[in-house]
Amino acid sequence: MIPVLIVPVLARHDLLDRMLASINYPVKDLVIIDNGGSSNYKPVWNQWVSKVHHWTFPHNLGVSTSWNLGIKAFPYADYWMVCNFDIEWSGESLQLFAETDTPDSLVLSGSPQPWCVFTVGWQVVDKIGLFDEALHPAYFEDNDYQRRCNYANIKTNQSFIPVAHDNSSTLHAGYT
């Protein structure tokens, strides 16, 4: 079971719904960080998800802050999975992530954009901390974290796990 799945979204709730509908492996807590102020949006139901936490904010918290909020909200998880809202799970991708993650590793997807889905173990967060919220609203928070992991000799596993990703959906929706 995936303990916590964190999904920030700013635009294109239709793609978020597609991602939610494609979940095919047990998820204990799904955290949707809705940065678009869409109080009318209701997440689609999925039998594989035990509990959905849909938090709406009136403005964009930014990527790092959204990721950190999900981690801080569930501080006792063995690991946290973070994914873009514009991905689609296929085959055994979620199960492979669950089987690949360890408390002391960072696991990246097999996508050409490897940070579109990743898991980070509690020992990694314990050792190097959370994501840098000064990198706002987005970009380079992943590069920064990976460099910090490399510097601290933390295992980074660029996996073979496939994920379908519609790259730059937020930018294509008109956010620059």
Side-chain angles (χ1 to χ4, degrees):
M1 175 177 280
I2 306 287
V4 181
L5 174 57
I6 303 164
V7 187
V9 62
L10 183 61
R12 298 288 315 265
H13 289 89
D14 59 315
L15 295 178
L16 174 62
D17 283 342
R18 182 188 69 183
M19 185 279 294
L20 295 174
S22 71
I23 293 173
N24 60 1
Y25 187 79
V27 173
K28 183 177 179 193
D29 287 290
L30 170 66
V31 180
I32 300 171
I33 310 290
D34 197 333
N35 288 306
S38 306
S39 59
N40 294 335
Y41 172 75
K42 301 289 182 233
V44 298
W45 180 81
N46 185 302
Q47 66 179 354
W48 293 100
V49 179
S50 297
K51 185 156 177 112
V52 176
H53 309 270
H54 177 223
W55 302 330
T56 303
F57 296 92
H59 58 82
N60 186 1
L61 299 176
V63 172
S64 295
T65 304
S66 296
W67 293 350
N68 290 343
L69 181 59
I71 293 169
K72 289 182 212 179
F74 296 91
Y76 299 107
D78 287 337
Y79 67 91
W80 302 268
M81 173 179 274
V82 178
C83 77
N84 288 14
F85 68 94
D86 60 351
I87 63 106
E88 193 169 6
W89 302 108
S90 58
E92 298 175 338
S93 294
L94 274 169
Q95 181 178 347
L96 290 170
F97 269 107
E99 293 171 352
T100 305
D101 188 75
T102 59
D104 64 343
S105 70
L106 173 68
V107 179
L108 306 176
S109 78
S111 166
Q113 297 82 30
W115 282 84
C116 71
V117 179
F118 66 92
T119 61
V120 59
W122 73 267
Q123 290 176 9
V124 176
V125 173
D126 189 53
K127 188 170 185 177
I128 66 166
L130 296 167
F131 293 87
D132 186 349
E133 295 183 13
L135 300 167
H136 185 274
Y139 300 114
F140 304 111
E141 62 281 327
D142 47 4
N143 303 96
D144 172 69
Y145 208 77
Q146 190 158 7
R147 285 189 181 120
R148 288 164 51 203
C149 284
N150 292 344
Y151 182 76
N153 294 318
I154 292 172
K155 293 183 283 189
T156 300
N157 178 2
Q158 172 105 31
S159 75
F160 62 91
I161 302 170
V163 240
H165 178 226
D166 296 341
N167 193 29
S168 298
S169 293
T170 301
L171 293 177
H172 294 309
Y175 290 90
T176 57

